[in-house]
Amino acid sequence: MTLTLQLKSSEWREHLARTAADVPGLVPVAKGNGYGFGLERLAREAVDLPVDCMAVGTLPEVAGVRDGGWGGDVVVLTPWCAADGVAGLDDPGLILTVARGEDLTALRAARPKSRVILELLTSMRRHGLGLAELNAAFADLGELRHEGWTIHLPIAHQNAFEEARILAAAAQEVAPSLLWLSHLPMADLKVLDALHNGQTRYRMGTGLWLGAPSTRRTMARVLDVHHVRRGDRIGYWQHPMPTAGSVAVISGGTAHGVALSAPTAGSSVKQRLASMVTGSMEAMGFALSPFTVDGRKRFFVEPPHMQSSLIFLPRKAHVRIGEMVPVELRLTTATVDRIEDDCSW
Ligand SMILES: *Cc1c(COP(=O)(O)O)cnc(C)c1O
């Protein structure tokens, strides 16, 4: 029962290398589900890139990139908070983010030689020190090693560059140091990097690991097929089948991140025509699945099970037990069973 992420590995790695060459101060981000690849795999890939620092989301994720063989510096993006305690802070490559004056004071008391990046509050209003607090925070560092300032901008931003420019200038006035940025258009990043003499670092996850979408695809296996008659009751919930056809059992369920997708109202003529065909299934309460069988997205018989899904197929659809079929997954929320390297298609 395998949901597989297939890679054109060398083309994917060419994209990673090109990105690393193009982005000044690239810091690969590996967090959460490792963008579908897992933290260890991303760490192994980062080892081969010309970068000296990775970023993870949380402190426990540091172990994931260490297990993947990453020996360089690791920035933890979620700000350290006094309530977190000092477990896990002994790694000499660890760089913590601190976003509140109280936490800085607590860290100085608990681990006075830690390496820290101070976070500035942006229009995202998630974490960070206000501009008026920067001087006091910097003065409160004691023996803590200041590794720079971080500015985390919203993705949807009218004028990201202007905000980044103002915050960066304010921080540099307090103390010239590295500027850690994310979610800036590349042209803006390059201008800022030139303004600050190559002192910018740029964190990137999605664009790095999930760029070049043509170098990967996610495939699911058809595990079984049963013929059904109109009105037959199928599955956990015993829904009656709308017409005769078949039910395919396909690998991929909630544990893999396969979810019911809400049918969307089509707007283009082509979409409307398509929904005249599929509309009757939708009207009967069936949801479109992310599985493509015989060239078309097919409908779920019922919500996905934990590791497989029941998919309704009309009589004319061709399907073969054992074949691999495309499944559309959002890799930031997916867990695949297997990554297959050096594929071609
Ligand atoms: C997750 C994260 C990133 C990476 O975001 P992508 O959109 O995946 O590139 C960058 N910076 C910070 C602070 C993050 O938390």
Side-chain angles (χ1 to χ4, degrees), residues 83-267:
D84 291 341
V86 294
L89 300 190
D90 291 330
D91 186 325
L94 190 67
I95 302 176
L96 298 174
T97 303
V98 177
R100 271 192 304 250
E102 307 89 279
D103 295 325
L104 195 63
T105 308
L107 184 63
R108 200 177 77 169
R111 278 283 191 289
K113 303 214 165 150
S114 303
R115 304 166 68 186
V116 296
I117 294 174
L118 297 178
E119 178 153 3
L120 276 70
L121 192 65
T122 68
S123 51
M124 191 144 91
R125 302 288 160 82
R126 195 163 77 174
H127 305 291
L129 300 156
L131 287 185
E133 302 172 281
L134 298 188
N135 272 304
F138 187 76
D140 197 32
L141 281 169
E143 286 185 280
L144 292 172
R145 283 170 55 194
H146 184 229
E147 302 276 354
W149 306 98
T150 170
I151 300 172
H152 189 198
L153 296 162
I155 293 175
H157 200 306
Q158 300 298 323
N159 200 343
F161 177 72
E162 196 52 18
E163 181 171 3
R165 192 185 63 75
I166 291 167
L167 293 178
Q172 294 301 71
E173 207 169 289
V174 174
S177 188
L178 291 180
L179 291 166
W180 303 75
L181 302 156
S182 355
H183 301 145
L184 261 185
M186 200 43 51
D188 292 349
L189 175 70
K190 288 181 176 172
V191 172
L192 267 186
D193 191 55
L195 266 176
H196 294 283
N197 309 314
Q199 291 280 85
T200 62
R201 294 290 177 269
Y202 190 71
R203 298 165 294 222
M204 193 180 201
T206 308
L208 177 67
W209 310 119
L210 299 179
S214 64
T215 63
R216 66 172 178 274
R217 60 180 193 177
T218 39
M219 302 293 282
R221 191 176 298 286
V222 176
L223 303 172
D224 217 335
V225 178
H226 308 285
H227 292 291
V228 292
R229 290 164 305 179
R230 178 192 163 99
D232 279 354
R233 290 180 176 272
I234 300 297
Y236 279 135
W237 305 105
Q238 295 287 289
H239 290 303
M241 292 299 95
T243 58
S246 51
V247 166
V249 186
I250 304 185
S251 65
T254 53
H256 301 99
V258 170
L260 276 181
S261 60
T264 51
S267 51

Side-chain angles (χ1 to χ4, degrees), residues 257-280:
V258 170
L260 276 181
S261 60
T264 51
S267 51
S268 73
V269 174
K270 195 172 159 207
Q271 278 173 316
R272 275 204 300 272
L273 279 175
S275 66
M276 280 169 66
V277 178
T278 59
S280 54

